[in-house]
Amino acid sequence: MSKKCEKLVDIGRRQFLRGTGIVAAGGIATTIAPAQSKAATPLARVNYPSSKLGNIKDLKADAPFDVAYPDADAPGVLLKLGKKVPGGAGPDGDVVGFSTICPHKGFPLSYSAADRSFNCPGHYSRFDPEAGGQQIWGQATQNLPQYALRIDDKGDIYAEGVDELLYGRLSNVL
């Protein structure tokens, strides 16, 4: 004759599910609580280098101007689009800067002035510079990283941050 475990509890399916729901709710509450307490303090921010990328006189409408930001191993471009766009800098709000490495698999992107898009030759992802680098087609799961730009009174263009993670990096700033 087998001996029964004295600590064995016989519960039904509903009681088991009710118990797991209470435990899960408690886990969620403890996960959310620390995040709420941190909201009162300023969030840690990546300190990007402020780098001069060019001058507004260097730019021609719909012609990419090659740059590198936040370091020499991160190719990108500046574009003057000729109309005010999200994230645009300068007096007309039409100067934008983007990484030119596809966020999907790291292929180099090319700019097509005909349809104003960045195009990837690898898996055909396309990105719209007039909509903040938003993906409009393809395999990528992230928008194109866009530079935070500042233009001073002499027309010098400075990059001071990037809004998405650059392909192949754990951090944008080394």
Side-chain angles (χ1 to χ4, degrees):
M1 196 163 159
S2 68
K3 204 174 185 186
K4 271 191 162 183
C5 177
E6 294 174 11
K7 296 184 181 184
L8 184 65
V9 177
D10 185 22
I11 61 171
R13 183 174 152 261
R14 286 189 182 172
Q15 188 174 358
F16 173 77
L17 292 173
R18 188 177 313 125
T20 57
I22 292 169
V23 170
I28 291 170
T30 58
T31 303
I32 292 172
Q36 290 173 341
S37 65
K38 287 182 186 175
T41 61
L43 297 174
R45 184 173 171 203
V46 174
N47 289 323
Y48 286 95
S50 179
S51 297
K52 181 180 172 183
L53 301 180
N55 189 286
I56 204 157
K57 289 182 269 180
D58 301 330
L59 305 181
K60 294 174 180 47
D62 284 326
F65 180 79
D66 292 332
V67 297
Y69 185 77
D71 54 48
D73 295 325
V77 295
L78 294 175
L79 282 173
K80 182 166 180 57
L81 295 170
K83 69 177 189 175
K84 187 174 182 147
V85 294
D92 300 324
D94 66 340
V95 177
V96 291
F98 294 95
S99 167
T100 54
I101 299 296
C102 183
H104 176 235
K105 292 286 184 181
F107 285 92
L109 300 173
S110 61
Y111 178 71
S112 169
D115 65 356
R116 288 191 160 180
S117 66
F118 286 100
N119 301 292
C120 178
H123 297 102
Y124 310 110
S125 290
R126 297 179 65 220
F127 304 91
D128 184 355
E130 292 179 342
Q134 182 176 20
Q135 178 189 349
I136 52 178
W137 181 261
Q139 303 292 323
T141 58
Q142 169 184 322
N143 293 331
L144 195 58
Q146 183 174 8
Y147 304 150
L149 299 177
R150 174 180 59 86
I151 300 177
D152 69 11
D153 56 349
K154 294 180 226 162
D156 290 333
I157 304 167
Y158 294 87
E160 299 184 329
V162 181
D163 70 350
E164 299 272 353
L165 186 63
L166 299 172
Y167 176 79
R169 298 188 180 203
L170 299 176
S171 170
N172 286 342
V173 180
L174 302 176

